Amino acid sequence: MLDLESLPLGVTIQPGICPNRPQPSGQGSVPDTSFKIANGPLSAPTRHLFPRGFPKTFAVLATLRPDSDDAGNLFTIYSTGGAVLLAFRISPNVELQYQSKNGGLGNITFQDSNINDGQWHRLAFSVGENEIALILDCDKPYGLITKPSDFPATVNISGLVVLGDVVKSFKVSELCPFIII
């Protein structure tokens, strides 16, 4: 997603969720790769990642292994003034934060969705026209809610996207590559 030519300081390659993933060609298997983010977040200008604008409907997919004491933002889009426009958060439940239409900070908490157990988890947020869903560990939707009326129609792309935001004591222990579709 961040199109890195080399690993930033404090980011190391670690074994991923699957030690023997079969190759599409059927010719053997290779281990998954994950990245340990130890010294702060990775960031890129939002405009570089979404040159045609941030999509109105989207999904965020991630595979991660948070420590038991992790709390903070996994993925955040900030305005040029530093306000949170959109954030996917673990604290310890999975949350979606957004800048509401009136400028305040809206928050959707998926109750009993604590994934801070040192185990690998697959997390998928889907923001559709009318609903927001959370899917954990490839199961049926964990939480499916009606999109709040104050949810923004668009996300400004003039700011910054931050992966592994340092909020409280948050550190993404291991994060496999993830994608926004």
Side-chain angles (χ1 to χ4, degrees):
M1 177 179 131
L2 296 178
D3 196 23
L4 303 172
E5 293 182 20
S6 63
L7 293 178
L9 184 64
V11 177
T12 57
I13 295 175
Q14 304 286 313
I17 190 172
C18 184
N20 295 303
R21 183 161 310 276
Q23 292 293 293
S25 65
Q27 304 288 324
S29 63
V30 296
D32 283 344
T33 300
S34 68
F35 301 93
K36 184 172 187 173
I37 303 171
N39 290 346
L42 303 176
S43 63
T46 310
R47 187 174 309 282
H48 290 185
L49 299 174
F50 304 100
R52 292 186 300 248
F54 196 82
K56 292 183 191 302
T57 62
F58 60 93
V60 175
L61 311 173
T63 303
L64 66 156
R65 183 170 67 179
D67 288 335
S68 60
D69 62 344
D70 281 350
N73 294 3
L74 171 65
F75 171 83
T76 310
I77 298 177
Y78 289 102
S79 71
T80 53
V84 171
L85 300 178
L86 188 66
F88 300 96
R89 181 171 176 74
I90 301 169
S91 71
N93 288 315
V94 179
E95 298 178 6
L96 171 64
Q97 294 180 328
Y98 59 93
Q99 185 177 54
S100 65
K101 291 177 181 176
N102 67 6
L105 188 62
N107 189 63
I108 299 166
T109 301
F110 294 91
Q111 296 300 323
D112 302 319
S113 61
N114 187 338
I115 59 173
N116 294 357
D117 57 8
Q119 301 297 311
W120 284 105
H121 294 279
R122 289 190 169 107
L123 176 120
F125 269 108
S126 172
V127 177
E129 290 288 333
N130 302 311
E131 296 175 325
I132 297 174
L134 169 66
I135 300 171
L136 289 176
D137 298 323
C138 304
D139 213 351
K140 61 184 179 186
Y142 180 85
L144 181 63
I145 64 161
T146 301
K147 189 188 277 186
S149 60
D150 65 346
F151 198 87
T154 61
V155 174
N156 187 309
I157 62 168
S158 61
L160 197 64
V161 172
V162 177
L163 177 64
D165 194 1
V166 180
V167 177
K168 296 183 184 177
S169 63
F170 184 64
K171 55 192 181 305
V172 175
S173 299
E174 295 177 57
L175 173 70
C176 288
F178 76 100
I179 189 167
I180 297 178
I181 53 175

